[in-house]
Amino acid sequence: AGVSFSLAQGLLINERMASLKIARFFRDQTKADRDLLVNNLLFKASKAYFKWIEATNEQRIYLNFLENASVRLEAVTRSAALGENPTIDITEARIAMQNRELFLEAAKLKRRKAALVVSNYLWLNDIPMELQDEVVPEVPSMNVLETSLRLEGITDTSELVQTHPKLASLDAKIDGLKVDKNLKRNKLLPKVDLQYNFLTSEADQLNSLNTANYKAFVNVSFPLFLRKERGDVKLASLKLADAYFERVSTSLNLQNKISAVDAEIRSLETQNNLIKSIVQDYEALLVAEERKFTLGESSLFLINAREQKLIDVQLKENELIVKQLSATASLYNTLGIADPVAVN
């Protein structure tokens, strides 16, 4: 029976103690990295859903104008048969309708591909699901989206940056590197191992132990140059300094990204208000042009030109709506929020 312990190297920290501490920090780092993975996954799923919305709205726009072109072609054909319009108007009306059909077919393909991407994120009881063609996405309002992504009521983003999972992961990494550096510095100390043993011929009987019979010794060793140990300490210091610089840089980048996303959201809100007014004006121009055509004061060419402008501006409106939704999701992604609220 006896006891042994170190008096210098290994007294305050050793390989076993360091491994245990580093494992605890690694657990915290793993949790932060997991939160980042969840955040990025939900962000990608949100972007896929918004692309599906954009493609669906684009298909709806072309479908509506295809119906208009079809009705106009039929009306022009009857008018030409009665001699009220030149027959060349039939060709122009037919070209317009065929263009609408072409763009509609491309929009259908775009919508189908977008739906398949969304299907990658749909699972039910570990079974992948596939969206059917008749399923139509619902455009969320900004209030609903902000509530579901836990962005509602956020005024101070600097506080959220300090609790960002990326920074939490780096903090855990830094703590682990500190332990590793302390371990390397501890190895610069000499090895002083003290051992004390009781001597007895009957080790299975405790009452046979006698303090007068013992063996004790001190083992002391110390390398002459410590080249390896000093090199390990310097390398550990460089790794720790690099981790500190990475954390400062990451914190600054996150704050700049948040500011940029905030500015983008405000700008897109203004753009959406403007585009709505522009769409209304183009609709009024098209209605006026159609009225003039009925009175014989306009031409089919001008109607098609007005209608094409309206199509372009409605597509732009659709694009800006999706951009605003995506920018809100980007804010959620930049803030590193990992547990959004489920909204039915």
Side-chain angles (χ1 to χ4, degrees):
V3 63
S4 64
F5 56 90
S6 300
L7 295 178
Q9 184 180 138
L11 177 62
L12 299 178
I13 188 171
N14 53 39
E15 295 283 354
R16 185 175 181 180
M17 295 167 60
S19 297
L20 182 60
K21 291 181 179 180
I22 291 175
R24 291 172 180 170
F25 294 133
F26 182 73
R27 179 190 60 189
D28 297 337
Q29 184 180 2
T30 302
K31 181 181 181 300
D33 291 340
R34 182 196 62 190
D35 292 341
L36 282 175
L37 289 175
V38 172
N39 178 278
N40 289 327
L41 177 63
L42 293 174
F43 174 61
K44 291 179 180 178
S46 299
K47 289 186 65 177
Y49 183 78
F50 299 150
K51 286 294 183 182
W52 183 34
I53 291 176
E54 182 180 11
T56 302
N57 289 340
E58 186 175 328
Q59 177 181 333
R60 176 183 52 80
I61 291 172
Y62 282 121
L63 182 61
N64 291 338
F65 283 101
L66 175 61
E67 293 176 355
N68 293 343
S70 178
V71 171
R72 189 175 298 120
L73 175 60
E74 183 179 353
V76 169
T77 302
R78 288 199 303 265
S79 298
L82 296 175
E84 297 177 357
N85 292 95
T87 55
I88 193 64
D89 284 353
I90 299 177
T91 303
E92 186 167 352
R94 184 168 56 248
I95 291 175
M97 188 184 72
Q98 289 173 342
N99 279 328
R100 305 293 183 265
E101 290 177 341
L102 178 63
F103 290 128
L104 177 60
E105 190 62 32
K108 287 180 179 179
L109 177 60
K110 181 179 178 180
R111 178 177 182 270
R112 184 55 185 162
K113 291 170 67 175
L116 291 174
V117 175
V118 174
S119 299
N120 294 333
Y121 300 95
L122 296 179
W123 292 75
L124 181 62
N125 298 327
D126 298 330
I127 300 176
M129 309 297 291
E130 182 177 343
L131 289 171
Q132 301 301 316
D133 290 336
E134 61 271 12
V135 179
V136 178
E138 180 179 357
V139 181
S141 65
M142 294 306 301
N143 292 333
V144 171
L145 183 60
E146 290 178 357
T147 300
S148 62
L149 296 180
R150 297 185 60 192
L151 297 174
E152 189 178 25
I154 293 179
T155 55
D156 186 10
T157 57
S158 59
E159 182 178 351
L160 291 175
V161 169
Q162 298 308 316
T163 59
H164 196 282
K166 181 61 177 178
L167 296 183
S169 176
L170 290 174
D171 288 338
K173 178 182 178 181
I174 289 173
D175 291 336
L177 291 174
K178 286 180 180 178
V179 173
D180 182 66
K181 181 181 178 180
N182 291 336
L183 177 63
K184 297 297 192 298
R185 292 179 60 182
N186 185 261
K187 289 185 178 181
L188 294 174
L189 300 175
K191 291 183 179 180
V192 182
D193 297 326
L194 176 63
Q195 186 168 347
Y196 181 91
N197 297 101
F198 293 103
L199 300 178
T200 178
S201 59
E202 300 175 351
D204 56 339
Q205 298 181 14
L206 294 178
N207 56 6
S208 66
L209 298 177
N210 188 346
T211 57
N213 298 326
Y214 66 89
K215 179 180 70 173
F217 65 89
V218 177
N219 183 17
V220 180
S221 63
F222 187 72
L224 293 179
F225 301 105
L226 296 173
R227 292 191 182 97
K228 180 179 183 303
E229 289 75 9
R230 293 181 188 277
D232 290 341
V233 172
K234 186 174 182 180
L235 180 60
S237 299
L238 291 175
K239 288 182 178 179
L240 186 59
D242 181 69
Y244 275 122
F245 289 140
E246 184 181 0
R247 191 194 187 283
V248 173
S249 175
T250 301
S251 178
L252 180 61
N253 287 336
L254 287 173
Q255 190 61 60
N256 290 337
K257 285 182 179 179
I258 291 173
S259 299
V261 173
D262 281 336
E264 182 182 7
I265 291 175
R266 290 193 297 269
S267 175
L268 287 172
E269 184 178 359
T270 302
Q271 293 180 50
N272 272 289
N273 292 332
L274 289 173
I275 200 69
K276 289 178 181 178
S277 176
I278 295 174
V279 169
Q280 292 176 357
D281 290 341
Y282 270 112
E283 288 175 345
L285 286 175
L286 178 60
V287 171
E289 200 67 44
E290 288 177 338
R291 186 179 299 112
K292 290 171 62 178
F293 179 76
T294 304
L295 298 175
E297 299 177 0
S298 182
S299 65
L300 190 59
F301 173 79
L302 291 177
I303 292 180
N304 289 335
R306 296 288 191 191
E307 192 175 66
Q308 186 59 50
K309 290 290 186 179
L310 180 57
I311 292 175
D312 293 340
V313 76
Q314 285 189 354
L315 291 175
K316 184 64 177 179
E317 180 186 28
N318 180 40
E319 179 184 349
L320 288 175
I321 291 174
V322 172
K323 279 187 175 181
Q324 188 175 15
L325 295 174
S326 299
T328 304
S330 295
L331 180 60
Y332 158 80
N333 179 245
T334 306
L335 292 175
I337 302 173
D339 51 342
V341 179
V343 178
N344 295 327

